[in-house]
Amino acid sequence: MSTANLDPTLNTHGAHAEHEEEDHRMFGFIVFLLSESVIFLSFFVGYTVYKTNITDWLPAGVEGLEVREPLINTIVLVSSSFVIYFAERFLHRENLWGFRAFWLLTMAMGSFFLYGQAVEWMGLPFGFTDGVFGGTFYLLTGFHGLHVMTGVLLQGIMLGRSFLPNNYAGGEFGVAATSLFWHFVDVIWIILFILIYVWQ
Amino acid sequence: MSNASIEAIAAKSGQPFPGAPNNWRRFFSFSTDHKVIGIQYMVTAFVFFLIGGLLAMVMRGELITPEADLVDRTVYNALFTMHGTIMLFMWTFPVLNGLSNYLVPLMIGARDMAFPRLNAAAFWLVPVFGTLLMVSFFVPGGPSQSGWWAYPPVSLQNPTGNLINGQVLWLLAVALSGVSSIMGAVNFVTTIFRMRAPGMGWFKMPAFCWTVLSAQMIQLFGLPSLTAGAVMLLLDLTAGTSFFDPARGGDPVLYQHFFWFYSHPAVYVIILPIFGTFSEIFPVYARKPLFGYRFVVVSSLIITVLSAMVWVHHMFASGTPSWMRMLFMFSTMLISVPTGVKVFAWVATVWGGKLRLDTPMLFALGGLVCFLFAGITGVMLGAVPFDIHVNNTYFVVGHFHYVIYGATVMGVYAAIYHWFPKMTGHMYYEGLGKLHFALTFIGVNLNFFPMHPLGLMGMPRRVASYDPEFAYWNVIASLGGFLLGVSTLPFILNMISSWILGKRAPANPWNAIGLEWLIPSPPPVENFEEIPIVVSGPYGYGSDEPLVANNPAGELISEHS
């Protein structure tokens, strides 16, 4: 070990530690996602408990939720999981333009989902503070929406990074993690859609 | 700093290869070294321990007479709320994270944690949320008064009408503490899974690392439930939702489920690493291998799983249906089986050993005695009829404090004394250590034993004044409490003076087995010049088998028995 590595401020991770950190990132990220899924699980449990226990569950004057637009949104989001998979495949085959095209398409589909949700929110006859139903509805869809937004943001960063020279030695973890995150957000949405829109 | 001065420091430290510079300033910097972060965690936690202890002193001062004459009732409410919050979120979790941070990479033969920068960020959140919590003493209306569990509808009251109030700050601090803990948990789990030295199979890993892994798994899968509850409570308080407001259709009991689904397992987040500490210390000071190592390890995993199935025992008196009470009574009592396995293993380890009663061993034995007592009252509380009888009385407070102070704090002290030579490169003063132990052990029992008769007599908890018939035991408890306050003084004195002036510690002052004892004290920057290749288990006392195939520090442990 050379003395050059012995910076007394102890930020001493040489190339060795950096490399190790790379290796462990995906494992750590999966662990994090498992933990994150428990927050959603808690919200889902809360929603189910409220829905089964509260007699006047829907706010006065609200009949139920319109399913058609959310269903279109669901189809778009679920399809985007396949699109992002193909983007990754292009990257593995070192077809950078193919990757960028499909990656951008995923971003567009994610953005469409967010736009669709915003339109839905604006048209709803109840608000965040209208009883427990209003609260849980916006909490669940909002918290999920926040994740979609994060996903699109991460995708944007990865797309930008793909234009940096010599990037893709270290950039593949970012792509793999973003893609995994996107699948996660997707699975959560499917459960959420069934819970809120199908089970009315 | 120039290379020349670094070399001078390394030379001064007398280590065979350049070690950590003995510079106190690095403990105030954004360091990514797990050893620095570990000590930063522990020292920060201890500062909050003193603050939390001071609040407890005021409470015991109030309770020394039956009348509410020292502080008024609202201040008393704030005192017990902040005492509980600080001791759990600012003391136990950070101090154990610190200990684990310091020890785990050394014990598994790694150069650092998996994510050093994330590790540092997780630590620096501690002073941030600690400050946030302290700020609540100065906002109009004062700090939260709803207890460390923040049950609605009490926690939904906001008499000042301000958006920034004690309860909101409390929730933000707890949420940040959760973020920090999850960052830590991801790091620990990844480190232990992925960074063990070659040859260190799962069943060659020290029991302490197993308990840390178990505890951090609970953080990962339990904490999000508290976060969910806290977010909903925060929205109720600030955004006008009604999740937990019964007047507007909400369900306050749901909050209790969210809260205890994490906060009961959190007890195991606290006690499991202490079990690990006991498992490391008893073999060293009894000169015997840990009895039933595999059983000790597997019991940690069973406790982890069972811990997620017992939370409703905190809610036996919350209108819980009888069938559910029965179910959770059985699951609660079941947890005493794996715990009992551990206790038997420790007793069998110590049994017939050549005991050395150094301070770490004294604290470990004292902690074990207290834990046994807490275990017995714990089984009693698990029984529904008894629990309902003593619900919300001092019996519960006594049980809880035997776990938290008796076992946990004493276990932390045991660990600090045991690894102090490794961490600082200096020996502590044995006489001061023994004085510290004597004061602590007497203080714990004087303070917390009287709470059991008080509870059985019916004294409710969380009250500033009480019926004069409870005065006798309360006076004893208060005296014990003050003694506990005093007991920290020899500890502080010992730590500071021996760190500066203490005799230089060799690499392995206790003649212990374990990778951390193969390297100099204090360990050099990246721990191991060469990553050790592990060939045998961690508790080979009395066996001639070497622990590692290559020797990372160029000197072997002189003897094993």
Side-chain angles (χ1 to χ4, degrees), chain A residues 1 26 37 42 53-54 69 102 105 125 136 141 156 176-177 188:
Chain A
M1 189 191 284
M26 202 58 187
S37 62
S42 306
N53 286 345
I54 297 176
E69 278 86 13
F102 275 73
L105 184 58
T136 43
T141 52
I188 295 288

Side-chain angles (χ1 to χ4, degrees), chain A residues 1 3-14 16-18 20-21 23-29 31-32 34-36 38-39 42-43 45-47 49-50 53-54 128-132 135-136 139, chain B residues 1 3 6-7 18-19 21 26 29 31-33 36 111-112 114-117 182 186 189-190 193-195 220-221 224-225 227-228 231-232 235 239-244 248-251 254 258 525-526:
Chain A
M1 189 191 284
T3 47
N5 274 345
L6 281 174
D7 180 351
T9 58
L10 292 195
N11 200 342
T12 56
H13 295 281
H16 174 78
E18 290 290 334
E20 270 190 349
E21 193 174 334
D23 284 352
H24 305 316
R25 277 187 190 171
M26 202 58 187
F27 184 91
F29 190 69
V31 170
F32 167 74
L34 287 173
S35 182
E36 185 80 348
V38 182
I39 299 191
S42 306
F43 286 149
V45 168
Y47 184 88
V49 168
Y50 285 131
N53 286 345
I54 297 176
F128 193 35
T129 54
D130 284 336
V132 178
T136 43
L139 179 69
Chain B
M1 195 182 278
N3 279 350
I6 295 164
E7 279 162 2
R26 69 197 169 111
S29 65
S31 171
T32 53
D33 183 333
V36 174
R111 292 195 197 279
D112 204 327
F115 310 113
R117 282 183 295 268
I182 290 191
V186 167
V189 171
T190 310
F193 263 87
R194 306 276 307 214
M195 294 179 70
L220 276 175
F221 298 113
S225 132
T227 311
V231 166
M232 290 161 82
L235 290 171
T241 54
S242 56
F243 298 119
F244 304 130
R248 295 167 59 211
D251 181 0
L254 184 67
F258 282 143
V525 174
E526 286 193 328

